[in-house]
Amino acid sequence: MRYLLFFMLLSTHVMAHEKVVRTKADKLAFGKFTEQKHHPWPFALLSIGHNMQSYQDYSGSPYWHDGLDIRGQQEQSVFAAAGGKVVNIENYIHGNELYWEVAILDEEGFVWKYHHISKESITEEIKRSYQNGEKISEGTLIGNIVQWPMSSFGEVYHHLHLLVVAEDGRYINPFLMMEPLADTQAPVINRIGLAKNHKPIDGGQVAGEHALFVEASDLVMHKKFILPPHKISYRIDKGEEKLVWAFVNLPSGKNDIDFIEDFYMKGTCGDYSCRKLLFNLNFSPEKPRGVMSLPLGPHEVEVTVEDIVGNKATKTFKWNVI
Ligand SMILES: [Zn+2]
């Protein structure tokens, strides 16, 4: 019985979600991202389930989500957002039918990786392009998304996990490749506070070196699937605006774990039933868990969070250094 339970837990985790799996298609990318593109969405989406900077922790080792979860209907047809050559068709988690990739290299050198396509549905045109290098055009039917066996927050979660690879194998934010969505919901700042040893503390008084955190969330066409904002910035004591990060790509981009536990503070969660996002305002790739030593007395921070289409929220927090 115990073994059975263990096996069930293990298989749930294996199937749970997608950690980044690099495939041979990644090495073919040479595109340089310079400005927002306007490709059509691969289908009429229901909502966004996760974005590139989403925090994922299904088994105690957190990672960045990297791709964009585009939620669709059951057996949703998927159409190529950009034309090009099919450069990979692969069962990238071998033996698990949920994890098939169709990858397309477009003319600008970006590799579009369509994950969770059902194998049986991959069209002859896509297979032919993979075999003989023939180009397919934008809007070509790729196949259907696979039936996702797990639900999240009480909802079915059939989705396409879309990744876009640029030069040096870096993933870039797929939102920046697509026609901007009609998203009018601004992100929300739930609270701002002090932190010691990378952990939020209560109250508005602190002694010595400390950091600041913000709890914030964004929603795209949905009420429950909380996402991290696109951009976080702040000003201390009405000084210069400092950018924490804007997610054109991830802070390192070399893999799916670098800096995740520095950018997000202790107390963050992200799985099928818990999403709570605490951001470290003092994060930078140079000083991942940077701290401040401010003069004694009162201070004020003004935090701004912004979504990908430019909706913003701002909130201030005051504290005393004693
Ligand atoms: Zn995903």
Side-chain angles (χ1 to χ4, degrees):
M1 186 62 200
R2 185 167 286 185
Y3 284 111
L4 182 65
L5 187 65
F6 175 73
F7 177 74
M8 281 165 66
L9 282 170
L10 187 73
S11 53
T12 310
H13 283 149
V14 170
M15 294 209 323
H17 219 274
E18 167 149 355
K19 256 182 93 64
V20 165
V21 179
R22 292 288 188 170
T23 60
K24 64 179 185 183
D26 296 45
K27 298 187 190 84
L28 303 173
F30 59 88
K32 283 185 206 302
F33 181 80
T34 49
E35 55 181 357
Q36 172 88 42
K37 316 267 179 202
H38 295 268
H39 289 278
W41 288 81
F43 50 85
L45 65 158
L46 296 179
S47 77
I48 296 298
H50 276 300
N51 58 16
M52 126 179 278
Q53 62 269 32
S54 284
Y55 178 91
Q56 308 277 285
D57 182 8
Y58 296 92
S59 56
S61 38
Y63 56 95
W64 304 96
H65 181 252
D66 267 313
L68 194 59
D69 276 359
I70 308 173
R71 295 181 60 241
Q73 310 282 359
Q74 187 171 326
E75 294 183 31
Q76 175 75 56
S77 301
V78 177
F79 301 91
K85 282 182 194 167
V86 177
V87 289
N88 198 26
I89 299 177
E90 185 184 343
N91 184 204
Y92 58 93
I93 296 181
H94 195 70
N96 189 328
E97 293 300 309
L98 296 176
Y99 300 97
W100 277 86
E101 162 175 297
V102 172
I104 297 171
L105 173 65
D106 77 12
E107 281 180 352
E108 290 181 276
F110 297 105
V111 172
W112 298 69
K113 288 154 69 86
Y114 299 84
H115 285 187
H116 312 322
I117 301 291
S118 96
K119 181 197 177 188
E120 296 74 35
S121 72
I122 298 170
T123 61
E124 288 308 316
E125 194 175 353
I126 293 294
K127 289 181 196 161
R128 254 197 330 271
S129 168
Y130 186 41
Q131 279 151 15
N132 62 19
E134 217 173 88
K135 282 187 181 164
I136 57 120
S137 51
E138 183 183 293
T140 299
L141 180 63
I142 294 173
N144 306 336
I145 55 179
V146 75
Q147 278 205 48
W148 202 251
M150 271 80 58
S151 57
S152 181
F153 291 90
E155 289 205 33
V156 289
Y157 201 76
H158 307 308
H159 66 287
L160 173 72
H161 180 101
L162 177 69
L163 297 144
V164 180
V165 195
E167 60 177 347
D168 304 326
R170 271 177 167 260
Y171 291 122
I172 62 158
N173 191 337
F175 265 130
L176 298 170
M177 302 296 286
M178 323 292 281
E179 200 57 60
L181 292 172
D183 169 21
T184 52
Q185 277 178 288
V188 173
I189 296 178
N190 310 92
R191 60 192 173 119
I192 304 168
L194 299 164
K196 277 272 200 188
N197 304 315
H198 203 56
K199 203 175 168 179
I201 57 169
D202 290 331
Q205 284 214 116
V206 70
E209 288 184 332
H210 60 281
L212 293 163
F213 78 93
V214 58
E215 182 183 346
S217 59
D218 187 29
L219 293 166
V220 181
M221 301 161 68
H222 201 270
K223 290 195 168 69
K224 295 180 208 159
F225 294 130
I226 285 174
L227 308 171
H230 176 61
K231 183 177 162 186
I232 303 174
S233 60
Y234 68 97
R235 298 197 307 152
I236 289 180
D237 298 332
K238 305 203 189 303
E240 205 183 310
E241 184 175 37
K242 287 192 87 171
L243 175 69
V244 183
W245 200 257
F247 285 93
V248 174
N249 40 35
L250 297 175
S252 136
K254 294 195 191 91
N255 56 50
D256 64 350
I257 54 167
D258 285 355
F259 301 124
I260 183 96
E261 291 186 273
D262 304 308
F263 185 79
Y264 287 98
M265 256 185 200
K266 284 176 188 159
T268 298
C269 64
D271 59 28
Y272 279 114
S273 55
C274 179
R275 293 194 189 191
K276 182 177 178 173
L277 308 171
L278 305 172
F279 304 97
N280 172 13
L281 287 179
N282 298 86
F283 170 82
S284 75
E286 295 74 35
K287 287 186 180 158
R289 294 190 184 187
V291 286
M292 310 178 289
S293 18
L294 295 173
L296 299 185
H299 295 281
E300 183 188 298
V301 66
E302 182 192 83
V303 179
T304 301
V305 294
E306 195 173 326
D307 70 15
I308 192 88
V309 293
N311 299 309
K312 284 182 194 181
T314 296
K315 198 170 189 163
T316 58
F317 170 74
K318 291 178 177 163
W319 75 104
N320 249 306
V321 176
I322 53 170

